[in-house]
Amino acid sequence: MAILNILRYPDPRLHKVAKPVTAFDQRLKQLIADMAQTMYDAPGVGLAASQVDVHEQLVVIDTSDTGNDLRVFINPEILWASEEKQIYDEGCLSVPGIYDGVERPAKVKVRALDADGKPFEVDADGLLAVCIQHEMDHLKGKVFVEYLSPLKRNRIKAKMQKEEREMKREKEKAKQYG
């Protein structure tokens, strides 16, 4: 297993639409294992393949307190979403340190394939429902900050770009004096 590089907002690759998974092979199983390790290491509760620059419809999620309930959703689709909405303070591994309220359906029914290509359905509410919808947005090329006002979104974008410049400067210094 390996820790993968997580793309940071506003990287344009985060806006690529993911293609359906068609091959359930060893490469896919390795990608799932690497994504899970990356998510746990970050630490986070969900990670879409798009966030690690693999534009395939694959999501890993673990909303448990113990970090031992990994769920894999391949080619997920929402079959039903409740009219009832909830606002949840969301964060994102691609937008580290930023949290803000996003309104989404409170409950969803999702159909997906597991790591072996077997179909399953899940009725989700609470954090799991939020996480599924958040990660599925990534597969469509959407980042949660796009639900926020243009003012907030622009502030976040500027902050992320500044942090990126500072990280590059630090790397250059380390190389120079390394």
Side-chain angles (χ1 to χ4, degrees):
M1 290 189 284
I3 302 294
L4 304 172
N5 182 47
I6 298 172
L7 300 176
R8 288 173 55 107
Y9 180 79
D11 191 308
R13 293 172 290 179
L14 288 168
H15 299 294
K16 283 179 82 171
V17 176
K19 294 183 175 11
V21 171
T22 56
F24 293 82
D25 54 10
Q26 188 53 43
R27 182 201 67 87
L28 180 67
K29 288 189 175 30
Q30 185 63 54
L31 177 59
I32 291 167
D34 291 347
M35 284 177 59
Q37 185 174 359
T38 302
M39 175 188 71
Y40 289 128
D41 184 67
V45 295
L47 186 66
S50 300
Q51 291 176 270
V52 294
D53 204 19
V54 177
H55 301 283
E56 298 176 23
Q57 294 178 14
L58 166 61
V59 168
V60 295
I61 293 175
D62 187 342
T63 56
S64 71
D65 292 333
T66 53
N68 64 353
D69 187 26
L70 184 68
R71 295 170 181 246
V72 176
F73 296 82
I74 298 172
N75 302 340
E77 58 181 313
I78 294 177
L79 300 175
W80 172 86
S82 67
E83 288 186 26
E84 176 193 352
K85 306 278 188 205
Q86 68 179 7
I87 296 177
Y88 205 93
D89 242 12
E90 293 188 27
C92 181
L93 296 177
S94 292
V95 195
I98 303 294
Y99 299 88
D100 212 318
V102 175
E103 183 178 62
R104 298 185 185 272
K107 298 177 182 178
V108 291
K109 182 182 194 89
V110 179
R111 179 181 359 190
L113 303 174
D114 67 14
D116 297 315
K118 294 187 180 80
F120 68 94
E121 292 183 3
V122 171
D123 291 312
D125 60 6
L127 179 59
L128 181 58
V130 170
C131 197
I132 289 170
Q133 292 172 82
H134 176 109
E135 300 307 332
M136 285 181 68
D137 275 351
H138 280 298
L139 301 180
K140 297 173 195 157
K142 189 169 185 174
V143 180
F144 91 97
V145 297
E146 293 171 50
Y147 287 98
L148 308 178
S149 72
L151 178 65
K152 280 185 179 179
R153 196 169 47 247
N154 287 335
R155 283 185 179 158
I156 292 167
K157 185 176 186 178
K159 180 180 182 197
M160 294 290 110
Q161 288 170 327
K162 181 181 177 191
E163 287 177 9
E164 189 71 25
R165 286 191 302 272
E166 288 171 0
M167 286 184 342
K168 281 182 183 170
R169 272 198 289 275
E170 291 300 317
K171 282 181 185 175
E172 288 302 315
K173 276 186 193 174
K175 270 188 204 173
Q176 196 173 20
Y177 300 109

